[in-house]
Structure formats: C-alpha cells, structure tokens
Amino acid sequence: MKICITADGNSLEANVDPRFGRCAYFILYDTETDTFEAIPNTNATGMGGVGIQNATMMAEKGVEVIFTGNLGPNAARVLQQADIKVVTGLTGKIKDAVENFKKGSLKAIPAATPTVLPHSGMGGKKQ
Amino acid sequence: MILTVASGKGGTGKTLISTSLALSLGEDAQFLDCDVEEPNGYIFLKPEIERSVTIYLPKPKVDIKRCSFCGRCRSACHYNAISVIKPGNKTTGKVLFFYELCHSCGACTLVCPENAIYEEKEEKGSVEIGTARGIFSFIQGKLKIAEASPVPVVKAVKKYIRKDKVNIIDASPGTSCPVVEAVKGADFCILVTEPTPFGLNDLALALEMTGKIGVPSGIIINRAGIGDNRVEDYAREKGIPVLLHIPFKREIAVSYSKGIPLVGIFSEYVSIFKKVFERIKYEILKHREVYE
C-alpha cells in the first residue's frame, strides 16, 4: 500500500510537518516493499489553492492513506472525492509513524472533516 | 482626471476626505465608491439612485460525460482552483471547481480539448448610478454578500469614469487586489493616515503599492495632534507631499456619526479642499515632468 507522510525533511528521520498544503516534503512510502521516495513540495510557497493541488497529486500518485498534522477544507474535499483516507493530528518522527501504522496502532479515517480553516498553513497565527 | 482616495490602515478617514472633496468641487466632480464591500459614501452624499446594473461573471461548469480527465484545465488554472481526479478502481472520474478561488478568467473553458467545460452566468454584485445633491454623478459598487473577490465590481464601477470630470474614487482600506484595482489608472492617489504607529506602518505599505503602480501620491493626516511626528518625518524622508492636516476634533466625529460631511459642519473646508485640489494638479504636473 502506498502511504504519504508530510515531512519537514527528506528522510525517515525527519519529523511530521503539521501542514498538508505547505509542508516541506512528502514522504511516499510503500508498505509492501519498504521503500520510500521524498518529493519536495513545490507548492509550499504558492499563492493559494495549494492544498487542492497537493491532494490531486496524491490521487495521481495512487496514495491510499495520508499522515499529517492538519488538513484544510479544500484539500479534504479533494481527498474525500478521491477516496483517500487520512490520519491527522500526527507528530513525531516519520519512521515511527510508518512503524505504528504497520503495527496497526494508527487508524486512518475518511477525509470527511477538515481540522483547520483555509490558509492555516500560511503562517501568522499559531495553530 | 482620476483621484483615488486610499489608505493603508482602515478607519483613517478616506470617506471623510473623498466626500468633502467631491462636495467642494461640486459640478466638476463625480464620486465613485469603489469600497464595494461596504460602500458608505452615500451616507454623506445622500444621492438619488436612478438605476442599478447587475454585474455577472462566467462560472465554469463541467459536462462530465464529455470529460477525458486530461487535466489541461487544472494546469491552465493560475489560481489552483481546479482538481481533476482520474477514474480509478474505486472511484469515478471527477472535476472539482473551487469557486472561491476562481477569477472567472475563462482559461479552463478555452483549453479543454473536449469542449466539456461550459460557462454559466453568476451574479457578483451591482453598480448603482445616481446624482448626489442634484449636483454631481454618484456611482457606487455593491459586492454581493458572500462573494470572495471585489475586483470585478470595482472594475465595473470604473467603467463610469468620465474624462471631462474630476473622478473621485473612494477605495477600500489596505493594499490588496481591490485597492490596487481602484488605484490603477489614477492620476493621483490621496493617502489618508493618522499620526500613530499603526497609521505610519500601513502608510508605508500603501506608498510601496502606489509606487509600484506608478501613481504619484500625497498624504492627508487626519486626527492631527494625536500620536507623534513620525508620519511627517517619514513623508519628508520619502519626498511625499503632505497635502493637509485635519485636527482631531470631537465636533468632526460627532457630525460624521450623524452623516454630516466635514464641509457640512466646517464650511471653511470647501476652500481648503479647493486649495488641496490645486496642489494635487501641481503635483501631477511635476510627476509628469519627471516621468514622461
């Protein structure tokens, strides 16, 4: 299964980036082969609609579950329509998230409810 | 001539200035309220509205039966307002439009190779046209409630600019898109500020904006006497003329809260604003000599 974790760096030692639209990297992890690919988020400094575009990319990459801190409403709408599940509120190291998911201690849910308002990843107010 | 009254900070007195400037110039003027999210010039000018024009913009929709999910509409969208989800094992193909991000540019409709995208008309607001005090034309834009972008309505108001009049545009506060649209094409921009740290901070932002657009500016300091001298110092340092000081007076605030314009309570401001207008004409000429 292909899963994706939003990360603040490009390795499994990196931490979970709490933002989905504006995270630094996406770690695409294949749980069958235990291999991963780190994709820099080219949308991180985009003007707007970055959550929408990242979510669309997730569908294109065949990701089935996304692990992140928070999710905005627009990204949630795309993920819902693409039937991609999410785990939100995640913190800590990427490798721990992967291990916990494999052990079954992290339950993914449909992306029905956004956890933050639009533009929450744009800085300014603390989440 | 086009004079835009703007400010960085809100509540500094744009409408106080723009309405009294229009009243001072009388039949030579025309008042255009481009603060379309909450136009309030009418409170002071008490116009008779003669007609109202509804503003529509195209809204893209998809005929999903014709869509091949090629994603060209998504790539063409400068505002990231489209998501295309290809049909998969578990899901059917979908095209999602995020209308609060859409600017109605029409690019998606244009690039679709299957002609699957069509446009529907959507109401964005209205422009009301009338006469203020039986003397000069009054035009105001009203953004439809819950619409995200005021820019199309600001553009619609600006269509009523007349070359033979002094067009006084009341802009919204800040330095964002609707303000840029209200300043663009103006001969001069009056920036209203107050002598406080907030006033100064936002004035600097506003000056950066007018500088980038290439519109010469002057400053009116409202509520003069409160705060400090830093706005004056800043203006001197940047070489921006201070056109007028309006003192901080309780009578002004009281009459303003009753819908009485500044010239309605202190009639001497008619000649003061006429002098300010002469100074603005001089500043415009000076700017043209330097830049043209």
Side-chain angles (χ1 to χ4, degrees):
Chain A
M1 186 198 286
K2 256 195 188 173
I3 62 172
C4 175
I5 309 120
T6 57
D8 64 3
N10 59 2
S11 76
L12 297 181
E13 294 298 321
N15 286 306
V16 173
D17 194 318
R19 300 159 303 174
F20 176 71
R22 295 174 190 279
C23 63
Y25 287 90
F26 295 105
I27 305 280
L28 250 60
Y29 195 95
D30 191 324
T31 55
E32 272 126 56
T33 60
D34 277 327
T35 52
F36 77 95
E37 181 192 357
I39 306 170
N41 180 9
T42 51
N43 287 323
T45 55
M47 286 220 319
V50 295
I52 297 166
Q53 295 312 315
N54 289 345
T56 309
M57 186 186 76
M58 293 296 124
E60 282 171 356
K61 297 266 183 195
V63 170
E64 287 180 58
V65 186
I66 290 168
F67 297 78
T68 188
N70 288 306
L71 196 64
N74 290 344
R77 185 179 150 206
V78 176
L79 296 178
Q80 226 176 305
Q81 294 292 323
D83 199 24
I84 297 173
K85 294 191 169 52
V86 292
V87 175
T88 53
L90 205 64
T91 54
K93 291 227 184 295
I94 304 298
K95 60 174 185 189
D96 296 336
V98 173
E99 283 314 310
N100 289 336
F101 178 65
K102 287 206 281 193
K103 271 192 288 183
S105 56
L106 284 178
K107 286 274 170 289
I109 54 158
T113 36
T115 58
V116 285
L117 293 171
H119 306 138
S120 293
M122 292 179 87
K125 272 186 285 182
K126 279 251 181 290
Q127 284 167 12
Chain B
M1 184 185 293
I2 305 167
L3 304 179
T4 299
V5 183
S7 75
K9 187 182 172 297
T12 54
K14 283 178 298 300
T15 306
L16 179 88
I17 303 297
S18 60
T19 51
S20 275
L21 180 61
L23 289 166
S24 303
L25 299 179
E27 57 184 16
D28 295 333
Q30 177 168 258
F31 185 88
L32 302 106
D33 202 331
C34 284
D35 187 0
V36 304
E37 282 168 279
E38 40 186 0
N40 60 349
Y42 74 92
I43 296 169
F44 307 94
L45 298 175
K46 303 184 171 55
E48 294 249 356
I49 300 297
E50 287 133 25
R51 61 200 169 95
S52 174
V53 181
T54 308
I55 309 300
Y56 295 98
L57 276 185
K59 176 181 187 174
K61 296 255 171 156
V62 67
D63 178 356
I64 203 76
K65 291 192 292 295
R66 302 181 75 154
C67 179
S68 63
F69 306 97
C70 69
R72 280 190 213 175
C73 52
R74 177 194 165 205
S75 315
C77 181
H78 183 63
Y79 304 98
N80 289 334
I82 306 174
S83 172
V84 178
I85 302 167
K86 291 191 172 75
N89 300 335
K90 292 181 291 179
T91 53
T92 56
K94 291 174 188 96
V95 176
L96 308 175
F97 292 104
F98 290 81
Y99 293 116
E100 64 280 15
L101 298 175
C102 176
H103 284 54
S104 298
C105 71
C108 52
T109 317
L110 203 66
V111 298
C112 179
E114 316 296 341
N115 286 325
I117 300 178
Y118 59 97
E119 289 172 346
E120 273 179 5
K121 260 189 358 179
E122 193 180 43
E123 190 185 330
K124 293 285 169 181
S126 61
V127 177
E128 293 178 344
I129 303 109
T131 309
R133 314 221 170 186
I135 306 170
F136 56 87
S137 293
F138 173 96
I139 300 105
Q140 72 176 359
K142 277 187 179 172
L143 183 68
K144 194 182 145 200
I145 289 172
E147 274 305 321
S149 174
V151 175
V153 182
V154 174
K155 279 188 178 161
V157 174
K158 284 175 74 187
K159 289 209 173 109
Y160 292 86
I161 287 172
R162 278 178 56 176
K163 282 215 167 94
D164 59 332
K165 294 284 177 193
V166 180
N167 298 274
I168 297 165
I169 294 180
D170 196 8
S172 46
T175 51
S176 61
C177 298
V179 184
V180 170
E181 185 56 45
V183 173
K184 237 192 306 184
D187 295 288
F188 194 84
C189 183
I190 299 171
L191 292 170
V192 187
T193 190
E194 56 181 34
T196 64
F198 301 110
L200 174 61
N201 179 75
D202 294 357
L203 171 71
L205 295 173
L207 273 170
E208 204 182 314
M209 171 196 68
T210 56
K212 271 197 184 146
I213 303 173
V215 173
S217 325
I219 298 167
I220 290 184
I221 300 177
N222 188 23
R223 301 191 194 100
I226 64 166
D228 53 35
N229 287 325
R230 282 189 285 169
V231 168
E232 304 268 355
D233 296 343
Y234 185 80
R236 205 173 306 121
E237 186 194 312
K238 296 279 170 188
I240 307 292
V242 176
L243 307 166
L244 178 67
H245 293 82
I246 298 171
F248 184 55
K249 269 193 190 153
R250 188 181 164 82
E251 296 99 300
I252 297 175
V254 169
S255 65
Y256 193 77
S257 72
K258 291 176 184 162
I260 302 165
L262 183 57
V263 293
I265 171 156
F266 294 116
S267 57
E268 61 268 33
Y269 271 98
V270 172
S271 61
I272 292 172
F273 276 114
K274 281 183 176 164
K275 273 188 206 140
V276 167
F277 179 61
E278 290 307 314
R279 174 77 191 273
I280 289 171
K281 283 200 281 191
Y282 167 76
E283 292 293 338
I284 293 172
L285 286 176
K286 218 168 73 174
H287 178 83
R288 284 189 186 152
E289 270 173 25
V290 177
Y291 291 95
E292 282 163 25

